[in-house]
PDB file of all heavy atoms in Angstrom:
ATOM      1  N   LEU F 319     -66.850 -50.706 -20.525  1.00  0.00           N
ATOM      2  CA  LEU F 319     -66.722 -50.997 -19.090  1.00  0.00           C
ATOM      3  C   LEU F 319     -67.919 -50.449 -18.318  1.00  0.00           C
ATOM      4  O   LEU F 319     -68.427 -51.076 -17.392  1.00  0.00           O
ATOM      5  CB  LEU F 319     -65.425 -50.391 -18.538  1.00  0.00           C
ATOM      6  CG  LEU F 319     -64.120 -51.022 -19.015  1.00  0.00           C
ATOM      7  CD1 LEU F 319     -62.915 -50.220 -18.525  1.00  0.00           C
ATOM      8  CD2 LEU F 319     -64.009 -52.475 -18.527  1.00  0.00           C
ATOM      9  N   GLY F 387     -66.376 -23.929  -0.748  1.00  0.00           N
ATOM     10  CA  GLY F 387     -66.880 -22.567  -0.867  1.00  0.00           C
ATOM     11  C   GLY F 387     -68.360 -22.479  -1.228  1.00  0.00           C
ATOM     12  O   GLY F 387     -68.924 -21.389  -1.288  1.00  0.00           O
ATOM     13  N   ARG F 632     -42.329 -11.630 -10.778  1.00  0.00           N
ATOM     14  CA  ARG F 632     -41.851 -12.639  -9.845  1.00  0.00           C
ATOM     15  C   ARG F 632     -43.016 -13.146  -8.998  1.00  0.00           C
ATOM     16  O   ARG F 632     -43.881 -12.386  -8.587  1.00  0.00           O
ATOM     17  CB  ARG F 632     -40.791 -12.027  -8.936  1.00  0.00           C
ATOM     18  CG  ARG F 632     -40.214 -12.991  -7.923  1.00  0.00           C
ATOM     19  CD  ARG F 632     -38.909 -12.455  -7.378  1.00  0.00           C
ATOM     20  NE  ARG F 632     -39.131 -11.398  -6.414  1.00  0.00           N
ATOM     21  CZ  ARG F 632     -38.948 -11.539  -5.097  1.00  0.00           C
ATOM     22  NH1 ARG F 632     -38.553 -12.682  -4.609  1.00  0.00           N
ATOM     23  NH2 ARG F 632     -39.152 -10.536  -4.285  1.00  0.00           N
ATOM     24  N   VAL F 678     -39.880 -22.814 -21.364  1.00  0.00           N
ATOM     25  CA  VAL F 678     -39.917 -22.958 -19.915  1.00  0.00           C
ATOM     26  C   VAL F 678     -38.521 -23.376 -19.478  1.00  0.00           C
ATOM     27  O   VAL F 678     -37.986 -24.377 -19.956  1.00  0.00           O
ATOM     28  CB  VAL F 678     -40.951 -24.011 -19.464  1.00  0.00           C
ATOM     29  CG1 VAL F 678     -40.866 -24.232 -17.959  1.00  0.00           C
ATOM     30  CG2 VAL F 678     -42.360 -23.576 -19.846  1.00  0.00           C
ATOM     31  N   HIS F 727     -29.381 -38.305 -13.526  1.00  0.00           N
ATOM     32  CA  HIS F 727     -30.386 -38.756 -12.553  1.00  0.00           C
ATOM     33  C   HIS F 727     -31.573 -39.385 -13.294  1.00  0.00           C
ATOM     34  O   HIS F 727     -32.025 -38.861 -14.309  1.00  0.00           O
ATOM     35  CB  HIS F 727     -30.849 -37.559 -11.728  1.00  0.00           C
ATOM     36  CG  HIS F 727     -31.651 -37.935 -10.516  1.00  0.00           C
ATOM     37  ND1 HIS F 727     -32.946 -38.377 -10.601  1.00  0.00           N
ATOM     38  CD2 HIS F 727     -31.335 -37.944  -9.192  1.00  0.00           C
ATOM     39  CE1 HIS F 727     -33.403 -38.633  -9.380  1.00  0.00           C
ATOM     40  NE2 HIS F 727     -32.444 -38.382  -8.512  1.00  0.00           N
TER      41      HIS F 727
END
Side-chain angles (χ1 to χ4, degrees):
L319 291 173
R632 180 162 77 107
V678 174
H727 192 286

